[in-house]
Amino acid sequence: MIAEAGCVVVKGNLAINGAVLKPSAATPALMKHKGRAVVFESIEDYNARIDHTDLDIDETCVMVLKYVGPVGYPGMPEVGNMAPPKVIAKGIRDMVRISDGRMSGTAYGTAVLHVSPESAIGGNLALVQNGDIIELDVEQRLLQLHVSDDTLAARRNAWTPPAPAANRGYVHLYINHVMGADQGADLDFLQGNSGSKVTRDSH
């Protein structure tokens, strides 16, 4: 029997409102891990660089993907299952991967998903830089960025929020009203206003 068969929520300064991981899909040796961050600023950045032979990464690193949360993408795409790079030619099939996105079924790998607050709204995930040390301790429910508060504050002062994906229409409405993953990524104006009654035929 698997002791941790469901999903767990980990918290720390990298996920103040929590992040989600599925222990039964993770590699046991990575459930308690410290590693150097390798940062991808977007899914396009990941796709462009992941298999470059000069990418400074090894199996002990922690892959970090930013700006794929509800506001940042916009929407919450299934891109949290970042494949390890081909430059690691040691038969490595799993690494710690962290993002504010999601993945289908969380069926495999040590993927920390739904990081909240998300990077696009200024969550600390936005402030992670290459070389930062990140600690994951599933038993302690911990996800911690080992960077001082002063350093984070300085980075925040220098941080520029990404431009919104749209300035009008439904996407603009969505960006302005979607809540965080920790709140179900619902629209704030729908809270308390939706019921389960079906008033017409549903096909």
Side-chain angles (χ1 to χ4, degrees), residues 14-18 100 114-126 180 182:
L14 192 50
I16 294 170
N17 294 338
D100 44 13
H114 302 196
V115 169
S116 182
E118 65 171 291
S119 50
I121 64 171
N124 284 342
L125 185 67
D182 59 307

Side-chain angles (χ1 to χ4, degrees), residues 55-153:
L55 182 66
D56 184 14
I57 193 170
D58 61 40
E59 68 272 16
T60 69
C61 292
V62 175
M63 297 167 63
V64 175
L65 176 60
K66 301 179 183 180
Y67 304 115
V68 292
V71 171
Y73 200 76
M76 211 173 172
E78 296 179 353
V79 295
N81 57 335
M82 295 174 281
K86 294 177 182 177
V87 295
I88 302 177
K90 302 177 184 178
I92 298 298
R93 302 187 66 179
D94 192 17
M95 295 171 62
V96 175
R97 289 157 286 163
I98 299 172
S99 77
D100 44 13
R102 62 188 176 101
M103 63 185 284
S104 178
T106 60
Y108 66 91
T110 312
V112 181
L113 307 162
H114 302 196
V115 169
S116 182
E118 65 171 291
S119 50
I121 64 171
N124 284 342
L125 185 67
L127 308 179
V128 180
Q129 295 183 3
N130 287 315
D132 290 347
I133 300 300
I134 295 175
E135 178 181 4
L136 171 66
D137 189 328
V138 175
E139 182 178 358
Q140 300 298 319
R141 303 296 194 260
L142 178 69
L143 183 64
Q144 189 74 9
L145 176 64
H146 286 272
V147 171
S148 71
D149 290 343
D150 288 345
T151 299
L152 287 177

Side-chain angles (χ1 to χ4, degrees), residues 175-194:
I175 290 169
N176 285 337
H177 292 281
V178 69
M179 299 187 296
D182 59 307
Q183 296 175 295
D186 198 3
L187 298 175
D188 57 14
F189 54 80
L190 295 179
Q191 286 185 293
N193 294 319
S194 298

